[in-house]
Amino acid sequence: MNYKIVAITEAVILIAVTAGFAVYGMYFTNQPIRLSGAGATFPAPLIQKWSAEFKDMTEVQINYEGIGSGGGVKQFTEKTVDFGASDPPMKDSEFSATPRTLHVPITIGGVVPIYNIPGIPKGLNFSGQVLADIFRLNITRWSDPRITTINPGVTLPDAEIIVCRRSDSSGTTKVFTSFLSDESTTWRATYGAANVINWPSQTVGGKGNPGVATAVQQNPNSIGYVELSYALESNISYGTVQNAAGKFVEPTLETLAAAASAVSLILPPGDTSWASVGSYFNLHNVEGADNAYPIASFSYILVYKELNVRSGMTLEKAKALTWFLWWAVHDGQHYASGLSYVPLPQAVVTHNEATLRMITFNGQQVNDWT
Amino acid sequence: MSQHKKSQNFLSKLKTNPKKRFSEDSVFRTIVALIACNIFIILGLIIFKITQGSWLSIQTYGINFLWGTTWQPFPSNPNTPPIFGALPLIWGTLITSAIALLLGVPISLGIALALSEFAPKNFNYVISFFVELLAAIPSVIYGLWGILVLIPFLQNDIYPHLQAVLGFLPFFQGTIRGSSVLTGGIVLAIMIIPTVSAISRDVFAAVPNSQREAIIALGATRWEKARIVMSYGRSGVVGAIMLGLGRAVGETMAITMVIGNSFNMFTSLFEPGSTLASIVANEFTEASSPPVYISALMEVGLILFALAIVVNASARLIIWRSTRKIKEVEMF
């Protein structure tokens, strides 16, 4: 009956060890402050980097789940998280459901046309109109005069264009199709702008940025669109896009920051609806946006203006949350370019400072950072 | 204590208390029956929930959902209601599954026959091990392999030749794309091989040796022996194929990664397409509004479920009919 003794001993040891860990966890460590957030997948790596660094500094633990912008707004509206995150700002209907919401832009995203044409390096010129015509399969060959006239000196092959795009529901598609809708009335009338649109049936859909990038890399003479950070980090050719000032601008961290600086002049106050900012920065009537890349947008953290609406909120937690956000828009920005994110320009940081000063808990300002 | 003594002890205990024995029996029977009934509850709840979820869509689109060829959750004009029709999805599911069976079944039967009739024992173990390993690979790995290895290979080395030879057929015309219906079917074919071959092998192994001995004694060749074995195990093989079909119809992750995900009533197999499962995988995660959008995706799930029931029921029917035939033959 040896095995019985062994089994009992093992069970006892197992229980003792588990109980030991539990007791250790309960009595011998400080209860850390825990905060939870959920939302967009695009800024998730940056927010997770921030929470790791912030935990080293302060012991405050921030759990962020990248579940998608739609889910982020939903959970934020239902008050099941301490903060939400979304790529597009809240729609007017969503904002009126939770009117005391603060929009805090935390980083900038950009959508980039990528292509694979044998022998053609990066830097092919595109205008919004040409992109719209390509993606609705009205321009079907690379040698089409509409493409060649804006690319003087480049010999493009007389080959059929294979159009690749996102198959999953995606904010990247929303940003890109919003841009196309503003640039082409035909596009607006036929396809519109949404996370999922009714693409022409001969286009190839890939799941996620990697899916589109792989489809483009595998199909000669293809075109697609991906998030800028993805284009920068994968070895793939991407084009320049004509902006509102008529200049063809290469997408870089700098030209995206230039777009954000330009738009910062027309940003609404943090506690009002940001729906007017739209899915991407429409800089058609903005001065001084010559070097701005045209398909750029913010990614936002959503915070309750009065934090006591979230159950379980304490003054201690409220202080930790506001401190984290303040740190994220200031020192946290240093981590951005290392991860191919665009750091916020100073004008936007100043705008965010005013927004974060509005946060209250039980009617009292949480932090004034004077 | 020896095993023999133990069982004697147990028996004598039972004999002393026959009444208790029977009550224990009925308690045990009730418990097991209740556990078995769980399957009805689970299945019933699933059907109920999916139907409930898709009710809005069923009410809005009715039977047209099955014929419609437009899938537009967010129409370009925000004032027009969304439109959903699932025909291209059903078409994509049926065609990819058909390609999978067409390519996968002959290979699977070949493997099964080789294992049960021709291969030496040691070789048999090795092959069986690897075939079963194929079944253990997660489908997302098949998808990755499909994108990174299979697509470039097919697109550059196979499809152009295929088009050169069979290009006169409408299924092989048009621009060649790696992410296409044909690639989806080929990946599915590989994925159903372990299921179909493992079950067929067991079926062939179960054919009584007396049958083999009899046919060999009559002077049959090995091929003729194999034919007898196949016809003897026909019902089991059909069952195996149907199980493979079930896997092909419901496969989600791998096919989503290689099929090109286009809402398309394709005629050429080089065109991108979609299946019932792939559209749910693509669009369910962020489908928060409008409510009819989620409902339409649920209805796609309902169709998939109905398809699975039809496939399984017809498998049962075929098995039942062919076993009856064998029994009739045996009577004479």
Side-chain angles (χ1 to χ4, degrees):
Chain A
M1 293 291 151
N2 252 339
Y3 62 93
K4 256 193 185 166
I5 298 168
V6 173
I8 291 171
T9 324
E10 270 180 15
V12 168
I13 291 173
L14 204 67
I15 292 169
V17 169
T18 321
F21 273 116
V23 169
Y24 175 81
M26 279 158 70
Y27 292 102
F28 296 102
T29 55
N30 293 326
Q31 278 285 324
I33 300 175
R34 288 171 195 277
L35 297 167
S36 65
T41 46
F42 161 62
L46 183 62
I47 297 178
Q48 273 146 10
K49 173 76 178 163
W50 285 342
S51 68
E53 296 291 332
F54 197 67
K55 184 163 186 280
D56 286 348
M57 276 165 36
T58 62
E59 296 282 313
V60 174
Q61 189 161 348
I62 293 152
N63 293 320
Y64 180 75
E65 283 178 77
I67 55 168
S69 296
V73 171
K74 190 159 177 277
Q75 292 214 6
F76 180 79
T77 313
E78 288 166 357
K79 304 191 174 59
T80 53
V81 284
D82 295 313
F83 65 91
S86 175
D87 291 340
M90 276 181 158
K91 285 179 242 163
D92 276 329
S93 57
E94 291 165 341
F95 187 79
S96 56
T98 26
R100 297 209 287 175
T101 297
L102 301 179
H103 282 76
V104 183
I106 50 161
T107 190
I108 304 153
V111 181
V112 185
I114 55 172
Y115 54 85
N116 168 13
I117 314 168
I120 307 286
K122 78 168 187 180
L124 207 58
N125 289 338
F126 295 101
S127 66
Q129 185 68 47
V130 163
L131 281 175
D133 288 345
I134 293 176
F135 277 86
R136 69 188 176 92
L137 305 189
N138 183 267
I139 294 178
T140 57
R141 307 193 86 81
W142 283 110
S143 53
D144 192 289
R146 282 170 281 183
I147 304 178
T148 49
T149 48
I150 55 173
N151 286 288
V154 184
T155 319
L156 287 160
D158 183 27
E160 188 180 337
I161 304 176
I162 294 182
V163 172
C164 307
R165 40 80 189 172
R166 291 285 287 266
S167 64
D168 50 334
S169 178
S170 159
T172 308
T173 301
K174 174 83 181 248
V175 171
F176 189 64
T177 52
S178 300
F179 172 71
L180 297 185
S181 286
D182 284 352
E183 296 286 319
S184 155
T185 46
T186 326
W187 182 276
R188 179 190 289 273
T190 329
Y191 298 104
N195 282 1
V196 181
I197 66 158
N198 185 23
W199 290 98
S201 65
Q202 295 302 315
T203 56
V204 174
K207 200 167 178 348
N209 284 315
V212 174
T214 329
V216 168
Q217 278 165 330
Q218 287 175 345
N219 288 293
N221 303 311
S222 59
I223 188 169
Y225 60 88
V226 292
E227 182 59 47
L228 171 71
S229 53
Y230 199 84
L232 292 179
E233 284 179 5
S234 62
N235 188 16
I236 199 160
S237 305
Y238 52 87
T240 67
V241 183
Q242 191 174 34
N243 67 11
K247 269 182 72 171
F248 290 97
V249 181
E250 183 185 336
T252 60
L253 300 187
E254 291 74 36
T255 55
L256 258 71
S261 301
V263 84
S264 69
L265 304 172
I266 52 167
L267 288 184
D271 59 345
T272 57
S273 170
W274 280 50
S276 63
V277 180
S279 299
Y280 80 105
F281 306 147
N282 190 332
L283 298 174
H284 273 288
N285 300 312
V286 180
E287 294 288 315
D290 288 2
N291 293 315
Y293 181 72
I295 323 176
S297 64
F298 283 131
S299 191
Y300 302 88
I301 278 185
L302 307 171
V303 214
Y304 307 107
K305 190 178 180 188
E306 168 53 63
L307 283 170
N308 73 7
V309 298
R310 159 87 169 134
S311 66
M313 185 57 73
T314 60
L315 183 60
E316 209 183 10
K317 283 174 90 173
K319 282 200 160 137
L321 178 60
T322 49
W323 185 12
F324 170 69
L325 294 174
W326 186 269
W327 176 82
V329 299
H330 291 88
D331 294 352
Q333 294 295 320
H334 299 314
Y335 298 103
S337 27
L339 297 167
S340 293
Y341 285 90
V342 183
L344 294 173
Q346 187 52 44
V348 180
V349 175
T350 314
H351 194 87
N352 281 340
E353 287 176 353
T355 308
L356 292 173
R357 285 203 171 91
M358 297 176 193
I359 300 176
T360 59
F361 180 66
N362 289 333
Q364 301 288 311
Q365 188 183 26
V366 179
N367 262 323
D368 58 2
W369 293 286
T370 40
Chain B
M1 204 187 288
S2 79
Q3 203 54 226
H4 177 69
K5 245 186 172 174
K6 234 192 214 169
S7 52
Q8 257 192 347
N9 214 342
F10 181 65
L11 274 178
S12 65
K13 253 189 214 162
L14 289 179
K15 272 175 197 157
T16 52
N17 198 348
K19 262 193 186 164
K20 195 179 165 208
R21 242 183 101 191
F22 283 114
S23 75
E24 273 175 359
D25 220 12
S26 71
V27 168
F28 181 66
R29 193 174 55 204
T30 321
I31 292 173
V32 178
L34 279 177
I35 292 172
C37 282
N38 265 335
I39 203 75
F40 295 112
I41 300 173
I42 293 171
L43 209 62
L45 279 177
I46 292 176
I47 295 175
F48 172 72
K49 276 313 261 188
I50 299 182
T51 317
Q52 191 191 34
S54 48
W55 196 244
L56 181 62
S57 163
I58 295 173
Q59 276 183 320
T60 317
Y61 304 105
I63 195 78
N64 287 333
F65 191 82
L66 295 177
W67 316 135
T69 53
T70 314
W71 186 272
Q72 201 163 24
F74 307 101
S76 51
N77 178 358
N79 297 323
T80 54
I83 312 163
F84 299 100
L87 190 61
L89 306 175
I90 299 170
W91 179 238
T93 306
L94 292 179
I95 296 298
T96 48
S97 304
I99 298 171
L101 291 188
L102 218 62
L103 299 175
V105 168
I107 297 174
S108 306
L109 291 185
I111 293 174
L113 274 181
L115 291 181
S116 77
E117 304 304 314
F118 298 103
K121 260 230 162 80
N122 288 338
F123 180 70
N124 205 325
Y125 286 134
V126 175
I127 295 288
S128 301
F129 175 76
F130 281 107
V131 168
E132 273 150 31
L133 207 63
L134 217 55
I137 298 173
S139 69
V140 66
I141 303 296
Y142 276 106
L144 276 179
W145 173 79
I147 287 189
L148 299 176
V149 181
L150 193 64
I151 287 184
F153 170 68
L154 290 174
Q155 191 176 5
N156 300 327
D157 302 327
I158 303 290
Y159 289 171
H161 303 292
L162 194 64
Q163 194 169 42
V165 178
L166 294 171
F168 63 93
L169 293 168
F171 332 117
F172 296 107
Q173 286 171 358
T175 316
I176 292 174
R177 294 178 186 78
S179 312
S180 63
V181 177
L182 187 55
T183 311
I186 291 173
V187 169
L188 287 184
I190 298 167
M191 294 182 77
I192 67 168
I193 286 175
T195 317
V196 181
S197 63
I199 297 174
S200 314
R201 180 201 56 197
D202 292 348
V203 167
F204 295 153
V207 173
N209 261 335
S210 56
Q211 294 289 326
R212 294 193 179 87
E213 284 157 10
I215 185 85
I216 287 172
L218 288 172
T221 62
R222 285 194 142 191
W223 160 236
E224 283 161 336
K225 185 188 78 170
R227 271 178 58 195
I228 293 294
V229 168
M230 273 202 283
S231 69
Y232 205 91
R234 191 194 302 141
S235 62
V237 170
V238 172
I241 293 172
M242 285 296 175
L243 281 178
L245 179 59
R247 171 144 205 209
V249 165
E251 175 46 45
T252 310
M253 206 55 222
I255 193 115
T256 308
M257 291 166 88
V258 299
I259 198 175
N261 299 300
S262 172
F263 203 81
N264 183 10
M265 280 302 289
F266 53 87
T267 49
S268 166
L269 299 180
F270 294 132
E271 286 179 38
S274 274
T275 69
L276 291 163
S278 75
I279 198 138
V280 177
N282 272 317
E283 298 190 3
F284 199 72
T285 42
E286 291 226 7
S288 47
S289 63
V292 74
Y293 186 17
I294 305 167
S295 188
L297 287 171
M298 287 288 240
E299 195 176 345
V300 168
L302 192 66
I303 297 172
L304 198 55
F305 202 74
L307 215 59
I309 290 174
V310 169
V311 166
N312 273 305
S314 50
R316 293 282 150 204
L317 199 70
I318 294 167
I319 290 172
W320 173 70
R321 280 179 54 182
S322 61
T323 45
R324 205 180 50 174
K325 220 183 256 170
I326 288 178
K327 272 180 193 150
E328 277 167 9
V329 169
E330 276 170 349
M331 270 165 62
F332 295 104

